[in-house]
Amino acid sequence: MPTSYQAPRRSDSERSKEVSQSAASNLSAGTGKVKDIIRKKGDDVFSIRPQDTLGNAVQLLSEKRIGALIVADANGTLLGILSERDIVRKLAETPGRTLPQKVEEVMTANVEVCTRDEPLISVLRRMTEGRFRHMPVMEDNRLVGIVTIGDVVNHRLNELEFEALQLKQLIVG
């Protein structure tokens, strides 16, 4: 046996192992907050009154190229939300008689809301489980924005692209 040979020692297998990913890094979407989206997207929220017609709502949805409207009273108090999906269901129930109907007859009155400080992973989970795509953002009983499931997914994709770029730079040097 060569004199430079050294038998493996117990301490050799106890070396700390470094990994590129961990549970914490894979769940980094959990660190994102609703305020991150509102900061980029802005706090514009389009609303309609409960007494307005679905025809008015459809026109506003089309003009603004959005998928839902907040239903609010004259004081801006949140009363409900009206989505494209709500309108489509009503169209199926009352073909040819839908557009003159009032928003308050079709809107979803029991609205899930979030705050700016809520983690995005929590908002995404609630949207997925509740099968809805729009969530008003409230602070001190005041509407301060709206987030969509698309906003949340897009935010996470941007985070993943940034992480991938950082890894490439780390590898390349």
Side-chain angles (χ1 to χ4, degrees):
M1 186 178 310
T3 55
S4 63
Y5 174 77
Q6 201 170 23
R9 294 179 289 186
R10 181 174 295 170
S11 63
D12 291 344
S13 63
E14 293 175 359
R15 287 186 194 146
S16 65
K17 295 181 181 178
E18 292 185 21
V19 293
S20 63
Q21 294 184 12
S22 67
S25 70
N26 286 336
L27 295 175
S28 64
T31 61
K33 305 264 188 196
V34 170
K35 62 185 166 190
D36 300 330
I37 290 175
I38 297 297
R39 190 178 311 119
K40 290 178 190 170
K41 178 181 180 176
D43 57 3
D44 287 346
V45 178
F46 299 101
S47 64
I48 195 162
R49 300 278 186 266
Q51 303 80 18
D52 284 339
T53 65
L54 290 182
N56 291 345
V58 167
Q59 186 174 359
L60 190 55
L61 288 168
S62 177
E63 284 174 10
K64 301 300 182 184
R65 299 175 59 97
I66 55 175
L69 293 166
I70 296 298
V71 183
D73 64 15
N75 299 323
T77 303
L78 175 68
L79 301 175
I81 192 165
L82 180 71
S83 70
E84 293 169 324
R85 190 179 290 173
D86 295 327
I87 296 168
V88 168
R89 282 191 192 113
K90 198 53 148 176
L91 279 167
E93 291 172 12
T94 58
R97 302 183 319 264
T98 305
L99 296 182
Q101 294 183 42
K102 302 288 183 208
V103 167
E104 62 192 348
E105 299 168 15
V106 181
M107 71 181 192
T108 301
N110 187 14
V111 183
E112 292 251 0
V113 299
C114 62
T115 66
R116 288 184 211 177
D117 290 323
E118 189 166 342
L120 290 175
I121 196 77
S122 167
V123 170
L124 185 60
R125 186 172 290 118
R126 288 170 54 200
M127 287 178 155
T128 302
E129 289 170 0
R131 302 192 69 194
F132 56 90
R133 298 175 290 181
H134 303 86
M135 188 179 287
V137 183
M138 302 288 287
E139 292 290 330
D140 301 320
N141 290 325
R142 193 173 60 85
L143 188 64
V144 295
I146 190 165
V147 292
T148 68
I149 201 162
D151 295 332
V152 178
V153 169
N154 188 49
H155 182 81
R156 182 60 183 141
L157 287 174
N158 287 337
E159 283 180 335
L160 289 172
E161 284 180 19
F162 181 70
E163 289 171 17
L165 179 62
Q166 286 181 316
L167 285 173
K168 283 181 185 175
Q169 289 174 341
L170 184 68
I171 292 167
V172 173

